Amino acid sequence: MENFSEWFHDILENAEIIDSRYPIKGMSVWLPYGFQIRKATLKIFRDLLDREHDEVLYPLLIPEEELAKEGIHVKGFEDEVYWVTHGGQKELNEKLAIRPTSETAMYPMFSLWVRSHIDLPIKQYQVVNTFRYETKHTRPLIRVREITTFAEAHTVHSSSAEAAKQVETGIELYKEFFDELGIAYLISKRPVWDKFPGAEYTMAFDTIMPDGKTLQIATVHNLGQTFAKTFEITFENKEANHEYAYQTCYGISDRAIAAAIATHGDEKGLQLPPELSPKQITIIPIIFKDGGEEVMAKCLEIKKSLEAKGIRVQMDTRDIRPGKKFFDWELKGTPLRFELGPRDLNNNVAILGRRDSGEKIETSLDENIAEKVSDLLVEVEENLKSTAWAKQEEKIVTLDTLENASGIVDEGKVIKFYWCGDEECGRAIEEEADLDILGINEENIETDKLCPHCGKPAKHLALIAKTY
Ligand SMILES: Nc1ncnc2c1ncn2[C@@H]1O[C@H](COS(=O)(=O)NC(=O)[C@@H](N)CS)[C@@H](O)[C@H]1O
Ligand SMILES: [Mg+2]
Ligand SMILES: [Zn+2]
């Protein structure tokens, strides 16, 4: 893990997650194994969003006129938008943007739908691919040009308070989502100069990758009435007056999968929380020349009992030596394995192996194996999550001064510091340390400490780091 970037690229290839040799920079192919992980991730995500959102689907293409309507928004994306200019041989009379995100696809429709406060709130989400002509160094899953797993939620409200509350709901949903992926995260309010184009404020989730750099894995934006004014989304309120609506939007992407791979992976390869892992246990019959049939029969019986309990199980019956099988499934990150040989059968025992702790647990075959496996899977899930949070805690240092900030960050740390919150000061801090202020992690704290840069009274605890 010393060279995380190399480890990350290798694991995507060796565990057959994606193939980034697709002949367009920043675009890759989801391979079968990776696709199953993506599918499991989206199932977790949809189960959460479906609690109070409607899943929908909007067109990929956006008329230039709509994309350009909101000045700050289009400014923020003008260097990243891909355009469609032709239909067949014919040049289109209006360029069409390929969605970099879908505000300008959705909000003209909201404008058609919203008339009265009884039409509100609208809470929709879609899981689509979006396209951004990223000019910074692209990396598979981390900074891509086709964001294949862009899950964007957009909500419309009849009051500013309700929109602010929805931002909090979005944050809670994402906390649950990342908790299920066992990913540790930091939540901060992005500095004003780094918020989403057109938003009033942006709340962001960052995770500390093994190399100490932080990755923005989700954002929740309070859009205020800016887009409602641009797209004429107005409603008749209870007092029969017309008001502009209040909006939020929030999203995650392929980075959620990148973060799960990075968080739980190790020198042996991929490691996945049981909910994400395509298979949760591999049964490995240890076959010698004699006693093979009984071993196979027992293994099949165990496989059936696991499947009956809804456990995703596979049996590795390849004619290769067991050690190679262990290696392969450790590389693929399968949480558990079940080994059974003729001698074990005679002693009426089997071995359950844990990928996370390396533990080998001798188990009587008279036990309820399916129950034991279910319990172990819960233990593995808890262990992976608590390990991730412990690792994150180790990487955060709270400092009174930013003197040696870049040196400390180079050791793979994230710095929490007392900040005045002023933009000019913040930008100067970033400039001097050549780092990014992630934002305010604890707002309006009680402290008599002074801002390390400008000496004004500190108002918040902020985070600063090297970022992806
Ligand atoms: N090039 C990229 N590759 C992978 N993920 C990305 C990329 N650009 C953005 N993301 C992810 O997508 C999330 C949402 O993107 S965003 O620009 O911050 N916000 C929006 O687009 C809003 N419409 C909410 S969906 C980001 O928090 C980040 O995690
Ligand atoms: Mg970007
Ligand atoms: Zn200051």
Side-chain angles (χ1 to χ4, degrees), residues 65-250:
E65 180 213 349
E66 296 297 346
L67 185 93
K69 250 183 198 160
E70 211 298 304
I72 303 171
H73 183 71
V74 69
K75 192 101 195 69
F77 282 101
E78 63 190 2
D79 297 336
E80 295 190 352
V81 176
Y82 282 91
W83 293 98
V84 172
T85 57
H86 285 72
Q89 305 297 319
K90 271 180 59 216
E91 177 145 10
L92 299 176
N93 53 23
E94 176 179 32
K95 283 196 310 187
L96 303 173
I98 299 182
R99 63 181 166 223
T101 170
S102 301
E103 283 75 9
T104 58
M106 300 169 94
Y107 300 172
M109 303 310 292
F110 290 175
S111 173
L112 293 179
W113 299 333
V114 175
R115 287 284 166 274
S116 143
H117 63 87
I118 52 169
D119 301 321
L120 297 176
I122 291 176
K123 298 179 189 175
Q124 296 185 345
Y125 78 96
Q126 64 175 3
V127 180
V128 290
N129 56 348
T130 54
F131 292 78
R132 298 187 184 189
Y133 186 66
E134 294 283 356
T135 42
K136 269 172 82 174
H137 185 53
T138 56
R139 284 171 201 277
L141 296 185
I142 287 176
R143 181 176 295 281
V144 292
R145 287 186 167 174
E146 175 182 10
I147 308 172
T148 67
T149 315
F150 194 75
E152 51 180 328
H154 297 260
T155 69
V156 191
H157 304 273
S158 50
S159 76
S160 161
E162 198 185 283
K165 192 168 168 327
Q166 191 63 35
V167 165
E168 294 313 311
T169 303
I171 289 170
E172 287 311 308
L173 283 172
Y174 284 166
K175 283 161 91 172
E176 265 196 77
F177 175 60
F178 293 121
D179 287 349
E180 290 206 48
L181 271 50
I183 296 168
Y185 45 79
L186 298 161
I187 301 172
S188 44
K189 186 175 199 174
R190 283 284 187 262
V192 287
W193 62 86
D194 193 26
K195 65 185 178 181
F196 180 69
E200 285 199 346
Y201 61 86
T202 286
M203 301 304 293
F205 284 71
D206 294 295
T207 191
I208 309 178
M209 299 288 262
D211 57 4
K213 285 168 66 174
T214 60
L215 178 68
Q216 175 181 288
I217 49 176
T219 30
V220 184
H221 313 290
N222 190 327
L223 303 179
Q225 295 176 299
T226 307
F227 286 87
K229 289 176 178 158
T230 307
F231 290 93
E232 278 302 307
I233 305 171
T234 60
F235 65 98
E236 190 179 297
N237 64 21
K238 293 197 178 77
E239 295 72 43
N241 302 322
H242 275 79
E243 263 195 272
Y244 285 112
Y246 303 83
Q247 295 176 266
T248 82
C249 66
Y250 31 102

